[in-house]
């Protein structure tokens, strides 16, 4: 009898264990999904600041209504993905619905801050492969041991669908503000098997075929996803082939972004920031991964003081602030970084302070970039940031009542100091990221800074105008002219080079006329500026201004042979 009881007890215990395991990820019924959808709709409409700037309320309501009518026919993962798509229509990166994927799982990136995955629906499965979108295409950048030999291969197709078409299909399933954020998130989303199934790239949740290419040879492979709790050994190109990592990837594991997703992120002060002096190029290199004062560690203000002291001690020619892993943090510490750099004597002159930004530079890091852009001479280099300078952020978290999925809604507007809707901080020196550079351990951005000393205001203003536009060029010039230590800089020839380019190459007569007037304000006898003003006025059919220009040229340079030519031009 006792034996029977013990056996029954074992059976009961086993049943309870199974029940417990399944209830944690049990399916929820259509009625519960509709309750979640109603909660999502009302939360966005009532808690989100200015919800409908990128989509009308009518369009949003229509999307919700259409999903509600289909819920009875959809699987849990399909409902989740449809809600992700609907939230994405709001158009702000801080506003998103997090998928039930383990955020710490092999460096899987979902957003700029972590989200626990304790939802009540089955967790999504991911491929044992991570992709990255380089300038020259989509590549396998890291993988588990079973697929490590494919690291460095170019991805040609998912199933029968080309990568170009795949990227178009996945675009609606992300909350992004610009193309740079899309280039970051799209490759990561493409490792979710449920999403690949929804995009009709595979007809199975257990496998997908990929067409890869290496050295001109194509190969089709079948990849099976790994579960939420599986933890296979992981490789990137550096661990696979013993390639030395470039400096900016110090502290990363299993690929490019694991540094910022590791559950151990807060264990070390050096994961927040660190600095070193590079004799090659006389560069004080500063890596800032997170904007906050580490618990029990040196605060940002103290760290930046040490950094500037090191730059002075080593007589550094440049300070490089690398924000490529910086997803944000607290804006409160940004002032410490700005003040430290502003008090470095060499920061008054353009080309001595560089800020490296990229697709992972986000949130408070974008606000730091804006502060630097507005207040000191800083050269921005790299890729566009992962969000807009003007945005709605500071998201609040809400849990959907039944599925327990995490919804973030943005609550605070952040303004851009240049008062535009630009997609990113202006890039003065855009450096595209090619696959060969990553797979051979090269940092093209730091190499560019080392090998391209910026000398001469003429090249600076022209290069920045061509690469980043008029506002950036003018911002650099204004900083020189408004600084008591640099206001005497001679910029006539540099500004003329830009003005002539605007007039003769860009054919922007209005802006060219303004530029020549600007030069003449500071250099009233600038002969070439007067001539440029006359020509731009003539092209604008502003005969009065053109004639005034000729009269002014005659007054200053009565024997100038250009006067007769310009008079004939006006008559014609």
């Amino acid at each position: 009898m006792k034996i029977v009881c013990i056996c029954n007890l074992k059976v009961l215990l086993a049943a309870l264990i199974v029940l417990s395991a399944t209830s944690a990820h049990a399916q929820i019924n259509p009625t519960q999904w509709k309750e979640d959808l109603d909660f999502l709709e009302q939360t966005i409409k009532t808690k989100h600041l200015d919800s409908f700037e990128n989509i009308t309320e009518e369009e949003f309501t229509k999307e919700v209504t259409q999903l509600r009518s289909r819920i009875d026919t959809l699987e849990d993962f399909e409902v989740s993905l449809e809600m992700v798509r609907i939230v994405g229509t709001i158009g702000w990166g801080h506003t998103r619905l997090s998928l039930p994927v383990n955020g710490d799982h092999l460096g899987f990136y979902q957003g700029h801050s972590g989200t626990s995955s304790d939802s009540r629906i089955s967790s999504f499965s991911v491929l044992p492969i991570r992709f990255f979108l380089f300038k020259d295409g989509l590549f396998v950048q890291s993988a588990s041991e079973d697929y490590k030999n494919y690291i460095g291969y170019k991805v040609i197709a998912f199933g029968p669908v080309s990568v170009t078409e795949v990227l178009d299909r996945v675009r609606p399933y992300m909350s992004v503000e610009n193309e740079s954020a899309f280039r970051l998130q799209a490759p990561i989303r493409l490792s979710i098997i449920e999403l690949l199934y929804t995009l009709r790239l595979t007809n199975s949740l257990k496998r997908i075929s990929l067409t890869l290419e290496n050295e001109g040879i194509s190969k089709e492979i079948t990849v099976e996803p790994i579960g939420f709790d599986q933890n296979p050994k992981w490789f990137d190109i550096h661990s696979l082939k013993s390639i030395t990592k470039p400096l900016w990837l110090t502290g990363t594991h299993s690929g490019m972004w694991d540094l910022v997703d590791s559950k151990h992120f807060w264990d070390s002060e050096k994961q927040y920031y660190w600095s070193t002096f590079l004799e090659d190029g006389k560069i004080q290199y500063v890596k800032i991964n997170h904007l906050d004062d580490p618990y029990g560690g040196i605060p940002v203000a103290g760290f930046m003081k040490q950094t500037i002291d090191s730059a002075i001690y080593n007589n550094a020619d440049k300070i490089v602030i690398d924000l490529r892993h910086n997803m944000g943090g607290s804006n409160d510490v940004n002032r410490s970084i700005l003040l430290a750099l502003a008090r470095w004597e060499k920061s008054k002159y353009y080309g001595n302070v560089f800020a490296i930004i990229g697709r992972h530079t986000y949130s408070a890091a974008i606000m730091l970039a804006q502060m630097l852009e507005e207040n000191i001479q800083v050269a921005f280099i790299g890729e566009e940031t992962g969000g807009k300078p003007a945005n709605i952020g500071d998201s609040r978290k809400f849990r959907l009542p039944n599925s327990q999925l995490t919804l973030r809604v943005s609550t605070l507007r952040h303004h851009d100091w240049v008062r535009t809707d630009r997609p990113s901080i202006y890039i003065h020196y855009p450096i595209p990221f090619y696959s060969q550079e990553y797979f051979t351990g090269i940092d093209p951005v730091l190499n560019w800074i080392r090998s391209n000393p910026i000398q001469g205001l003429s090249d600076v203003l022209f290069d920045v105008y061509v690469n980043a536009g008029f506002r950036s060029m003018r911002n650099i010039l204004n900083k020189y002219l408004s600084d008591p230590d640099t206001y005497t800089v001679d910029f006539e020839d540099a500004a003329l080079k830009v003005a002539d380019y605007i007039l003769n190459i860009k054919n922007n007569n209005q802006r060219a006329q303004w530029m020549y007037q600007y030069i003449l304000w500071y250099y009233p006898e600038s002969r070439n500026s007067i001539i440029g003003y006359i020509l731009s006025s003539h092209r604008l059919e502003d005969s009065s201004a053109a004639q005034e220009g000729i009269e002014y040229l005659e007054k200053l340079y009565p024997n100038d042979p250009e006067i007769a030519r310009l008079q004939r031009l006006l008559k014609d």
Side-chain angles (χ1 to χ4, degrees):
M1 187 69 178
K2 290 182 180 178
I3 295 175
V4 173
C5 289
I6 291 172
C7 290
N8 288 339
L9 205 59
K10 288 182 178 179
V11 172
L12 179 61
L13 182 60
L16 287 172
I17 292 172
V18 171
L19 181 62
S20 175
T22 56
S23 64
H25 300 292
Q27 289 185 336
I28 61 176
N29 61 49
T31 299
Q32 291 173 314
W33 272 122
K34 291 173 185 177
E35 291 172 354
D36 279 8
L37 182 59
D38 290 342
F39 179 87
L40 182 150
E41 178 184 16
Q42 291 306 310
T43 302
I44 287 179
K45 287 183 175 180
T46 61
K47 304 297 184 183
H48 197 292
L49 178 67
D50 298 335
S51 310
F52 304 112
E53 290 191 356
N54 300 305
I55 183 175
T56 67
E57 184 171 358
E58 292 74 18
E59 290 170 331
F60 181 80
T61 302
K62 182 179 179 181
E63 291 279 3
V64 172
T65 302
Q66 289 177 344
L67 174 56
R68 186 182 291 108
S69 69
R70 297 170 53 218
I71 281 179
D72 290 346
T73 66
L74 299 177
E75 298 289 341
D76 281 358
F77 72 85
E78 293 175 309
V79 180
S80 302
L81 287 168
E82 278 302 290
M83 290 199 297
V84 165
R85 184 187 62 78
I86 290 173
V87 173
T89 64
I90 299 300
W92 297 114
H94 285 82
T95 300
R96 65 181 186 272
L97 183 71
S98 296
L99 290 171
V101 180
N102 186 346
D104 291 323
H105 189 62
L106 304 176
F108 188 89
Y109 173 81
Q110 288 218 74
H112 77 298
S113 60
T115 301
S116 61
S117 300
D118 53 346
S119 65
R120 293 177 183 167
I121 64 172
S122 298
S123 299
F124 285 14
S125 298
V126 296
L127 302 181
I129 284 177
R130 293 290 176 273
F131 307 106
F132 190 84
L133 192 55
F134 294 95
K135 179 69 174 179
D136 49 332
L138 187 72
F139 285 77
V140 177
Q141 69 114 349
S142 59
S144 70
E145 187 162 17
D146 291 341
Y147 299 92
K148 65 183 181 182
N149 292 332
Y150 300 112
I151 295 173
Y153 278 54
K154 187 174 185 178
V155 185
I156 304 301
F158 287 72
V161 183
S162 71
V163 165
T164 300
E165 173 65 21
V166 168
L167 292 172
D168 285 341
R169 291 188 189 184
V170 78
R171 186 179 290 273
Y173 293 87
M174 287 172 288
S175 295
V176 296
E177 298 169 10
N178 61 14
E179 194 64 21
S180 189
F182 173 76
R183 293 179 67 82
L184 168 66
Q185 294 189 33
I188 301 170
R189 289 294 173 97
L190 290 176
S191 65
I192 303 174
I193 192 67
E194 288 83 358
L195 180 55
L196 301 178
Y197 179 88
T198 300
L199 297 176
R200 302 187 305 280
L201 306 177
T202 176
N203 57 11
S204 171
L205 290 170
K206 295 184 178 181
R207 65 190 62 86
I208 186 170
S209 66
L210 299 177
T211 303
L212 306 178
E213 181 183 278
N214 187 45
E215 297 180 349
I217 300 174
S218 295
K219 181 176 183 176
E220 186 174 318
I221 66 171
T222 299
V223 183
E224 298 179 354
I226 53 179
F228 179 90
D229 296 322
Q230 289 179 263
N231 190 25
K233 189 175 181 180
W234 205 257
F235 293 85
D236 61 12
I237 193 67
H238 307 100
S239 58
L240 181 65
K241 296 189 176 181
S242 300
I243 296 174
T244 301
K245 290 182 180 181
L247 195 60
W248 79 283
L249 291 179
T250 299
T252 57
H253 306 280
S254 308
M256 222 173 296
W257 305 123
D258 191 47
L259 166 74
V260 295
D261 295 308
S262 170
K263 61 185 177 182
H264 303 297
F265 180 78
W266 310 108
D267 290 355
S268 170
E269 179 182 299
K270 286 193 174 181
Q271 288 178 303
Y272 283 71
Y273 40 67
W274 52 272
S275 179
T276 188
F277 178 72
L278 306 177
E279 189 63 46
D280 180 14
K282 297 190 72 64
I283 295 170
Q284 187 71 39
Y285 178 83
V286 189
K287 187 71 162 36
I288 304 179
N289 299 321
H290 186 68
L291 293 168
D292 212 343
D293 290 330
Y295 180 76
I298 300 174
V300 172
F303 165 73
M304 286 305 300
K305 183 180 186 307
Q306 292 177 349
T307 296
I308 299 302
D309 288 346
S310 175
I312 294 171
Y313 176 81
N314 290 291
N315 193 27
D317 290 333
K318 301 182 182 74
I319 292 179
V320 174
I321 306 293
D322 195 335
L323 301 175
R324 279 178 286 185
H325 276 115
N326 199 313
M327 297 180 295
S330 171
N331 295 324
D332 294 342
V333 302
N334 286 347
R335 183 171 180 269
S336 298
I337 299 170
L338 171 64
L339 289 178
L341 292 172
R343 290 168 184 170
W344 184 50
E345 185 67 23
K346 295 181 182 180
S347 69
K348 299 173 184 177
Y349 304 96
Y350 186 88
N352 294 336
V353 177
F354 283 83
I356 307 179
I357 56 179
R359 62 188 80 176
H360 223 296
T361 308
Y362 190 59
S363 197
I366 297 177
M367 299 186 75
L368 169 61
Q370 285 195 75
M371 288 181 71
L372 301 180
E373 181 184 43
E374 181 179 8
N375 292 288
I376 67 171
Q377 294 285 21
V378 57
F380 287 97
I381 186 168
E383 297 181 307
E384 288 194 339
T385 52
K388 293 181 177 180
N391 65 81
I392 301 178
D394 288 58
S395 59
R396 289 180 57 193
K397 292 182 183 180
F398 297 88
R399 288 280 191 181
L400 304 191
N402 297 304
S403 64
Q404 291 294 293
L405 293 174
T406 300
L407 171 67
R408 284 178 169 83
V409 297
S410 300
T411 62
L412 184 64
R413 184 177 298 278
H414 298 286
H415 297 281
D416 185 355
W417 77 276
V418 300
R419 305 298 179 188
T420 67
D421 189 34
R422 54 180 172 164
S424 166
I425 295 292
Y426 296 126
I427 305 291
H428 300 174
Y429 300 96
I431 307 294
F433 199 7
Y434 288 94
S435 60
Q436 183 66 19
E437 294 165 330
Y438 173 74
F439 292 123
T440 54
I442 293 173
D443 181 356
V445 182
L446 193 56
N447 283 358
W448 191 97
I449 294 172
R450 280 190 171 117
S451 58
N452 290 274
I454 295 177
Q455 296 178 343
L457 193 58
S458 178
D459 289 339
V460 166
L461 295 186
F462 182 78
D463 289 346
V464 171
Y465 172 76
V466 171
N467 292 328
F470 184 80
R471 287 177 182 271
S472 290
M473 181 277 299
R474 184 181 173 188
N475 182 34
I476 292 170
L477 185 54
N478 284 347
K479 285 175 190 164
Y480 272 109
L481 299 179
S482 60
D483 188 329
D485 290 336
T486 62
Y487 76 95
T488 58
V489 64
D490 184 358
F491 70 92
E492 179 183 3
D493 290 342
L496 267 170
K497 183 177 179 181
V498 174
D500 290 345
Y501 179 82
I502 294 172
L503 178 68
N504 299 314
I505 304 300
K506 302 298 289 185
N507 295 314
N508 188 335
N509 300 315
Q510 189 77 48
R511 179 146 287 175
Q513 184 192 51
W514 183 94
M515 191 72 184
Y516 290 121
Q517 284 179 302
Y518 185 85
I519 300 169
L520 286 167
W521 181 263
Y522 290 90
Y523 299 91
E525 298 183 0
S526 174
R527 172 184 176 273
N528 290 334
S529 296
I530 300 170
I531 293 173
Y533 176 77
I534 295 167
L535 291 173
S536 58
S537 299
H538 173 65
R539 293 182 186 180
L540 289 169
E541 298 182 354
D542 188 348
S543 57
S544 175
Q547 185 58 45
E548 287 178 5
I550 289 179
E551 292 173 1
Y552 186 53
L553 184 65
E554 283 183 305
K555 178 180 177 181
L556 294 177
Y557 306 100
N559 298 318
D560 195 314
E562 277 293 296
I563 295 173
R565 185 184 71 84
L566 290 169
Q567 287 174 331
R568 288 195 301 271
L569 181 65
L570 263 61
K571 289 180 181 179
D572 295 338

